Amino acid sequence: MEKILEVLFSGASIGAIYALIALGFVLIFKSTGILNFAQGELCMIGAFICYQFATLLNIPYILSFLIAIALGALLGSLIDLLFFRRLVGEPIYSTIMVTVGLGSILTCFSGLIWGHDVYALRSPFMNKTVSAGGMIFSQASLYTIGISILLFALFILFFNRSLLGVALKGTAEDSDTAGLMGINVKKMHMIIWAIGSTVAVVAGVFLAEQSFVQTSMSHTGIKAMSAAILGGMESLPGAIIGGFIVGIVESFAANYLSGLEMAGFHFGDIKDVVAFAIMIIVLMIRPHGIFGKEEVKRV
Amino acid sequence: MLKITNLETTYKDIILALKGISLEVPPAKIVTLLGANGAGKTTTINTVSGIRKTLDLTLEDGTIEFEGEIINEKEPYDVVARGILQVPEGRKVFAELTVDENIIIGSYTLTDRNKFSEGKNSVSGYFPVLKERGKQLAGYLSGGEQQMLVIARALMAEPKLIMMDEPSLGLAPLLVKEIFGIISRINSQEDVAILLVEQNANVALSIAHHGYILETGRIVMEGPSEVLREDRDIREFYLGLTEVGTKKSYREVKHYKRRKRWLS
Ligand SMILES: Nc1ncnc2c1ncn2[C@@H]1O[C@H](COP(=O)(O)OP(=O)(O)O)[C@@H](O)[C@H]1O
Ligand SMILES: [Mg+2]
């Protein structure tokens, strides 16, 4: 029983990271129609920026984290300004390739600046654990889950209660009509890119807490995308729940299936396949994802 | 207040949709722009609103003046900031948002946020049903309620001019009468000018002060509503449409169906 809870917990802490990245995915897609394949790279950049300040420059962790967030928002806005502002409404295959290209450019630059090795983020939670009821939890995981849930709650409040949040939702649904309401649609898209990039940066810092800083962190992006699609691609709660599902299932697979042998076959690193397997199964049954809905019918 | 002079616009740089139209909306008056399907009514108000890029609509010639200032090339949000609100064709509620959230978006340009509840109360006065439906998704409202919602949404911005695109479209005659009664009340009580785009000439002329008749991108007639209402030529003009009527096409059938509504 304790083992199960521990596995669940570590799954949730990775799931929170997927959920954050997936949230950015869904926000950008829903608002601008662009599938941002560079979400994982933004996550990786976030980890490197925090590493740069916290580990290399010895700046206090919290401050480094805040700098990473600010730079992440700036980077997202810049990406919109330079590339995607012009590409709204263009064919999805074009925009996807631009995001893929952007992702590999970001990886290339990170490699040039920081190198391709594996680094450790200096953080107050490093290698610390908490034990409760005979179970052991890493502090980094607790911290990740706690702050993520807080962020999700803030997001939901923001999008349902604030004028800007409601305006962003309206713009996502129908940008022409939003323009007719006096909303500056370009500004809204820039804000969405800033938010989408920031959540990826936060996810990157959390991921670095739990493991290391390295360019291959960007592979998290594709799993987060499967979480977003699982959740329905159009739904914020869907992205969050999708993220947790993928993280938790992965954690169980890693603990109970990895290295298993069955009829002479090795399951090996099954953990990395599980996210895609559940995505495929869910999409076969529900092509719009778990929370995806057909459009609300207009009377 | 709004003065359009020799406005010429094209779609995709080749389709000439407006061939030099001029019209004027004085403060606090209702002016109706009448015309059959495809005449260029929606094009006219979209050009004023500045939503062109997504439609591939270009203003080729002429001027749009609002309160003495030329606003030809303004972005949509800038046009709204000046007090010109559009109630688009086909209602266009934010279907995935609640009725209240639609109302909130309407108030987006209100800089004095204290005026929000004042505005909301006044809007609920005109459309009590919207208050009852506040928490429902706008996509699930009936057609009439959606029409009320988009008018209410525009009112929240404290507009000086509202451009309404076919508010009667697809609604039962009784409901049309009710909504047009409210539009008339809004005009007199809120001191707001209204440019009312319609195919339904009878009901539009019943509340408008002045009317223009648009035919394939040209203004072919204008005058005070009383005059237009009495003018038998107008009725024949709309019933006639003989050149169009001789072409056997899908569009023409649609025209015919719509035409019947003129005198209903
Ligand atoms: N997006 C568009 N692209 C090309 N042509 C258009 C577009 N929208 C309208 N038109 C054409 O412009 C003309 C005027 O259309 P519109 O302004 O919608 O008429 P109305 O609102 O009076 O029914 C029509 O001939 C129509 O086919
Ligand atoms: Mg029209």
Side-chain angles (χ1 to χ4, degrees), chain B residues 11-12 15 17 35-44 55 89 165-166 199 214 251:
Chain B
Y11 285 105
K12 304 179 174 65
I15 308 164
N37 204 17
K41 305 180 298 297
T42 302
T43 307
T44 306
L55 299 173
E89 185 174 24
D165 200 346
E166 302 203 38
Q199 291 197 52
L214 187 66
R251 282 193 40 158

Side-chain angles (χ1 to χ4, degrees), chain A residues 30 85-86 88 159-164 166-171 173-188 234 293 295-299, chain B residues 46 49 51 53-55 75-77 80 84-86 88 90-97 101 104-109 113 137 139-143 146 153-154:
Chain A
K30 218 173 133 94
R85 172 161 293 190
R86 278 158 249 261
V88 169
F159 281 109
N160 288 318
R161 293 270 186 276
S162 75
L163 177 64
L164 180 60
V166 174
L168 286 166
K169 279 199 293 188
T171 310
E173 185 185 326
D174 180 347
S175 55
D176 267 352
T177 305
L180 290 179
M181 299 293 101
I183 294 170
N184 182 342
V185 172
K186 286 182 185 153
K187 189 169 117 192
M188 295 296 126
E234 298 260 316
K293 52 185 186 307
E295 234 180 287
V296 176
K297 218 169 38 194
R298 281 174 195 271
V299 188
Chain B
N46 275 342
S49 285
I51 34 170
K53 195 180 163 228
T54 48
L55 299 173
E75 293 277 331
Y77 66 89
V80 174
I84 307 179
L85 267 284
Q86 187 189 137
R91 309 193 237 289
K92 305 269 174 61
V93 295
F94 293 104
E96 295 170 25
L97 305 191
E101 286 175 328
I104 289 172
I105 291 195
S107 77
Y108 185 77
T109 50
R113 296 311 296 173
L137 288 188
Y140 294 128
L141 296 181
S142 72
Q146 290 190 349
R153 189 175 67 179

